[in-house]
Structure formats: structure tokens, C-alpha cells
Amino acid sequence: MAVPGTPRPIDARGWLFEVQDLKASTETWLRIGLLTSFSHSPGENEETEDTTSFDSDGFYEQDVMQRGASISLESKYAADKAGKRDPGQAYVDEDWVSRLGADSRNPVRWRHKSQTAWVLWDATVSPGEQGGGTTEKTSWSATITRCGKPSTAAVTPPPAGGGS
């Protein structure tokens, strides 16, 4: 039995991922729904420089020259009976993935529901494969790659009428 106050593992299904709708007239965040798994890779795109010298006495040395990170999201392709898509998935597929150059960046945020702060990234997105078999639902996936230094923001209550 765990001692009260002892840290416990958190549920993977408690993570929230949102993309900012840059077309909206007010700050609007769209939750990416029906996630089935995610993978955060905090060392993605890291670059190091070997600094080993004769003075290292045979021990390896290095400096980190660049930090990077990415998140891969997997989900079920989501739409209602009328064909209206999950807002977060639709924004990624229909608004974000086709942008190039400086326009290819978009804000994203993520956190576990037990946390009191969002992690904020300026990021690019790469669409993933979609597919499925005879007795399966259609898959959906995307990889979000951080651009620049991350920041944080406090979780605030949603405005009256919903939203996040």
C-alpha cells in the first residue's frame, strides 16, 4: 500500500493538446480530440559539439549547441454524422499543414489535466498517415515540432459558454 502523499503515476489519457486558431478574431484554442496515444520527444533535433581535448584526460566531453523537441499525436479520425470534423484535427488538416515558410508556424499548448500550467510552443506540424482495415476506425496522426524556446501559461477557467 502506498504511503499517503507518495507520488503516483499519472494516466496518459489525462493529457490535453490544443492548437490556437489563428483565424479567430479572439484568442481561441481548439482541443485535438479522440487521442489514442502520444509521444513527447524532448531531445528531438538536439545538436552537440564534441569538446574533448588532450586536457580531458581520455574522458569524453561535449556541449549542447541546440535543443529541440517534438510531440507525435495519434488519434481516430473524428467527424459527426453530418461530416463536421473534430475542431482540432480539422484545423491541423485544413488550415495548418498547407502553410509554408514563416506562415508554417502556429501556437500549440499542452498539459496534463492535473497540472496548473500549459506548456506553450511555437511549432510546425507534419501530417501523419491515415488509414485502417476492414474492421477498424480510420486513424489520424500528426507530429508537432517545437520552434524556439518554450514558455508556460497559467491554466485559467474557460469563459462562460465553454471553450478552453
Side-chain angles (χ1 to χ4, degrees):
M1 177 185 255
V3 175
T6 301
R8 297 278 305 139
I10 59 175
D11 295 337
R13 67 176 166 259
W15 288 93
L16 306 168
F17 299 89
E18 297 182 344
V19 60
Q20 187 175 8
D21 183 348
L22 295 180
K23 298 182 311 178
S25 58
T26 60
E27 184 176 327
T28 303
W29 290 92
L30 305 171
R31 183 177 163 268
I32 299 173
L34 270 64
L35 291 176
T36 55
S37 69
F38 78 96
S39 177
H40 176 221
S41 181
E44 185 77 15
N45 297 316
E46 182 178 277
E47 294 290 337
T48 62
E49 174 68 18
D50 182 344
T51 58
T52 308
S53 69
F54 293 158
D55 295 333
S56 300
D57 292 326
F59 292 94
Y60 177 78
E61 295 184 37
Q62 72 174 20
D63 288 342
V64 176
M65 303 304 291
Q66 173 178 294
R67 297 280 186 194
S70 69
I71 295 175
S72 295
L73 303 174
E74 292 186 9
S75 182
K76 300 297 183 189
Y77 186 98
D80 66 15
K81 289 182 180 181
K84 184 176 179 189
R85 299 275 315 278
D86 170 83
Q89 289 182 16
Y91 184 85
V92 169
D93 290 346
E94 298 164 14
D95 293 300
W96 192 4
V97 298
S98 62
R99 293 191 243 148
L100 302 172
D103 293 335
S104 67
R105 292 187 180 193
N106 203 97
V108 297
R109 67 184 186 181
W110 55 279
R111 70 177 179 91
H112 190 269
K113 65 183 180 181
S114 65
Q115 296 174 332
T116 59
W118 291 100
V119 176
L120 298 167
W121 287 2
D122 190 31
T124 59
V125 68
S126 298
E129 295 181 8
Q130 294 177 0
T134 304
T135 59
E136 300 172 333
K137 299 291 185 180
T138 303
S139 63
W140 180 91
S141 63
T143 299
I144 296 168
T145 303
R146 188 183 78 209
C147 298
K149 188 175 181 178
S151 62
T152 60
V155 174
T156 56
S164 37

